[in-house]
Amino acid sequence: MRILIANDDGVYAPGLAALHDALADYAECTVVAPIQDMSGASSALTLDRPLHPVVLPNGFIGLNGSPTDCVHLGLNGLLDPVPDAVVSGINLGANLGDDVLYSGTVAAAIEGRFTGRPAFAFSLVSRSPEHLSTAARIARTLIEAQDRLDLPERTVLSVNVPNLPLDHIRGIQLTRLGHRRRARPPVKQANPRGKEGYWISAAGDAEDGGPGTDFHAVMQGYVSITPLQLDRTFHEAFKGLDRWMEGLL
């Protein structure tokens, strides 16, 4: 089995190395990751300049592009043979609820939807690498068991691992996405030359984080697995829109 590993924290990130080490003796793993931190890049593609892959001394491939660029190139000509599956992470920081709209980690997995196998996005609910070994062990366990999955094509599994030692993990829960409150206001600052700018601030706290959500699971010490679908159509809105459209034209 051939696995393409990507991330959004960058090719030098400790989570990427931990994920590669966890899977290296299970499958033929190739890493293609952004040269620099691309957190929050979502599914951006680079269309205004060429992309230049660079093979690093450890064999990882760094790319001057986004997480989606990395997987896009990896599945469409950069790698031969083409990988069988895509695994993204391990992200340092949660990807819960609305985070998946912005996450480059999740976006890399989404770009892996064409392989025919479910793509995985792994996140550790911490900015510290202290318990990366826990997330790496969980990742290995889930990837080893993937052949038993029975899921529709183009399914992405977003996995969030609590920031705990492995023996403190209470289990695994299947969850839905919760929702966050609006993000905190941007921080306005002036540089030494007086030019004003804004820093995007922290994400909002959980607003919908009760039982059954990814927020609740990780807070209770469980690994959260949330299946994501790519059909963004709001089917429940059809009835109301049908009535609204009557007689408009």
Side-chain angles (χ1 to χ4, degrees), residues 29-241:
C29 296
T30 303
V31 171
V32 185
I35 286 289
Q36 63 186 22
D37 188 332
M38 294 294 292
S39 297
S42 188
S43 290
L45 280 173
T46 300
L47 304 176
D48 62 345
R49 55 184 167 79
L51 299 170
H52 300 287
V54 177
V55 180
L56 304 179
N58 63 357
F60 292 4
I61 299 173
L63 191 71
N64 61 326
S66 69
T68 297
D69 290 331
C70 294
V71 178
H72 188 83
L73 261 64
L75 296 181
N76 295 288
L78 179 63
L79 303 179
D80 185 21
V82 177
D84 302 305
V86 172
V87 180
S88 180
I90 299 167
N91 190 67
L92 287 183
N95 278 307
L96 301 168
D98 307 79
D99 298 343
V100 303
L101 298 174
Y102 309 103
S103 168
T105 302
V106 174
I110 288 173
E111 191 65 16
R113 66 193 180 274
F114 301 105
T115 66
R117 291 176 178 264
F120 287 80
F122 291 100
S123 303
L124 178 65
V125 187
S126 175
R127 296 292 181 185
S128 166
E130 179 184 3
H131 295 303
L132 261 178
S133 60
T134 299
R137 186 69 189 92
I138 297 297
R140 173 61 181 256
T141 299
L142 297 182
I143 297 300
E144 281 185 338
Q146 67 172 314
D147 286 340
R148 303 201 302 271
L149 281 170
D150 182 16
L151 293 170
E153 287 191 3
R154 303 191 178 195
T155 299
V156 173
L157 298 179
S158 178
V159 181
N160 281 273
V161 181
N163 183 39
L164 296 169
L166 185 61
D167 59 1
H168 284 53
I169 297 292
R170 298 178 64 186
I172 301 175
Q173 288 188 356
L174 183 62
T175 60
R176 67 173 176 85
L177 293 176
H179 294 285
R180 292 189 184 274
R181 293 186 175 90
R182 182 181 297 195
R184 296 168 193 171
V187 177
K188 186 177 181 180
Q189 287 186 344
N191 68 17
R193 295 178 178 83
K195 185 174 183 180
E196 293 184 337
Y198 294 85
W199 285 98
I200 297 295
S201 192
D205 296 328
E207 182 176 54
D208 172 16
T213 67
D214 47 3
F215 287 100
H216 189 267
V218 298
M219 289 298 294
Q220 297 300 312
Y222 290 91
V223 175
S224 163
I225 299 182
T226 305
L228 306 178
Q229 64 178 1
L230 304 182
D231 181 0
R232 299 282 292 273
T233 308
F234 188 10
H235 295 277
E236 294 177 5
F238 270 54
K239 185 178 295 185
L241 286 168

